[in-house]
Amino acid sequence: DTGVSQNPRHKITKRGQNVTFRCDPISEHNRLYWYRQTLGQGPEFLTYFQNEAQLEKSRLLSDRFSAERPKGSFSTLEIQRTEQGDSAMYLCASSLGTQAGMGQPQHFGDGTRLSIL
Amino acid sequence: AQKVTQAQTEISVVEKEDVTLDCVYETRDTTYYLFWYKQPPSGELVFLIRRNSFDEQNEISGRYSWNFQKSTSSFNFTITASQVVDSAVYFCALSESPSGAGSYQLTFGKGTKLSVIP
């Protein structure tokens, strides 16, 4: 399978714990995005990488959220001191970076569903 | 600010009926792209189509067709002869021209849940 891979698929944790999710993009894609989707809503953009550079992070929900893409391949999203309101599906997407970048379709993984007890 | 509105929250149709999903967008840019994605019960978002702001030609792909009208800021999606496998949540999304090191992030509507009844 050469699609976007995310793990774990499900994460259940207690309030206050830290969690980390991993995303492996499609191999030839240099752009990587993180989104959050809550029940009944469309995905909401969080952050974006081009290769290893995080070019947009102002939409991260709070300073408890951080993301890395250390070698320009896989990425991790960490949430520190989780709260009840962090329960959601976290989606990763990747796309090709070209001059027509905005027109390149983003391909999504299956997501990681986070449940905070 | 960019915005995407999908006014239909849920639609139910009987198999073989045609159905149109509405999408209205707001943007201040002259260059932008519009997308439709399908999210079946399994959860993965599946890319269906993209349209750039300079191309108002309608597109047909099998049972799917898309009507883009800049004059009304709409990008509607029609499924002809619907099938049970079409049951899913459908999202319309907008990507705008970046400023500086723009991110091309997608702004999604809230989605329309389509149920096709056998």
Side-chain angles (χ1 to χ4, degrees):
Chain A
D1 183 21
T2 57
V4 177
S5 176
Q6 291 188 249
N7 64 79
R9 289 296 307 275
H10 304 274
K11 179 70 176 179
I12 301 173
T13 192
K14 293 182 179 179
R15 185 166 52 92
Q17 297 295 304
N18 299 342
V19 294
T20 301
F21 312 137
R22 176 177 170 128
C23 171
D24 288 89
I26 294 172
S27 58
E28 61 266 31
H29 288 180
N30 60 345
R31 295 178 192 262
L32 187 147
Y33 304 79
W34 285 98
Y35 292 81
R36 184 181 81 154
Q37 186 178 21
T38 54
L39 198 61
Q41 303 294 316
E44 173 189 20
F45 171 77
L46 296 178
T47 189
Y48 149 75
F49 292 86
Q50 180 164 315
N51 299 313
E52 67 275 10
Q54 189 174 14
L55 298 183
E56 174 62 69
K57 56 182 179 180
S58 65
R59 305 281 289 277
L60 285 168
L61 301 165
S62 78
D63 58 7
R64 297 184 297 105
F65 287 70
S66 63
E68 292 183 343
R69 195 182 183 197
K71 297 182 180 179
S73 56
F74 73 91
S75 175
T76 58
L77 177 69
E78 181 182 16
I79 309 174
Q80 295 182 329
R81 306 180 303 282
T82 52
E83 302 174 355
Q84 292 280 354
D86 297 332
S87 295
M89 176 75 85
Y90 291 85
L91 296 167
C92 177
S94 69
S95 71
L96 282 171
T98 68
Q99 284 190 330
M102 82 173 114
Q104 295 299 325
Q106 294 177 23
H107 298 273
F108 285 80
D110 289 341
T112 294
R113 182 167 296 283
L114 175 64
S115 298
I116 308 297
L117 301 178
Chain B
Q2 51 188 336
K3 184 179 178 181
V4 176
T5 301
Q6 294 180 256
Q8 304 150 308
T9 305
E10 293 192 41
I11 301 176
S12 290
V13 297
V14 176
E15 199 170 22
K16 297 184 183 177
E17 286 184 347
D18 298 347
V19 59
T20 295
L21 310 181
D22 298 333
C23 172
V24 174
Y25 62 92
E26 294 177 29
T27 177
R28 282 181 257 179
D29 276 10
T30 56
T31 303
Y32 52 89
Y33 277 78
L34 294 160
F35 299 81
W36 276 95
Y37 282 84
K38 174 182 180 180
Q39 189 171 43
S42 57
E44 181 179 353
L45 278 161
V46 178
F47 164 71
L48 295 178
I49 191 172
R50 67 179 172 193
R51 172 67 70 225
N52 76 51
S53 52
F54 298 107
D55 182 1
E56 287 195 72
Q57 285 189 346
N58 292 331
E59 182 156 341
I60 298 174
S61 176
R63 296 184 297 107
Y64 295 170
S65 63
W66 290 269
N67 183 301
F68 174 36
Q69 293 191 337
K70 284 182 76 171
S71 60
T72 57
S73 297
S74 65
F75 185 42
N76 296 337
F77 173 28
T78 297
I79 302 174
T80 303
S82 59
Q83 299 176 1
V84 173
V85 293
D86 295 327
S87 297
V89 180
Y90 290 86
F91 291 97
C92 181
L94 169 68
S95 175
E96 286 185 319
S97 176
S99 56
S103 65
Y104 312 110
Q105 70 259 33
L106 297 175
T107 297
F108 284 84
K110 291 187 176 182
T112 297
K113 182 178 180 181
L114 174 65
S115 298
V116 181
I117 304 165

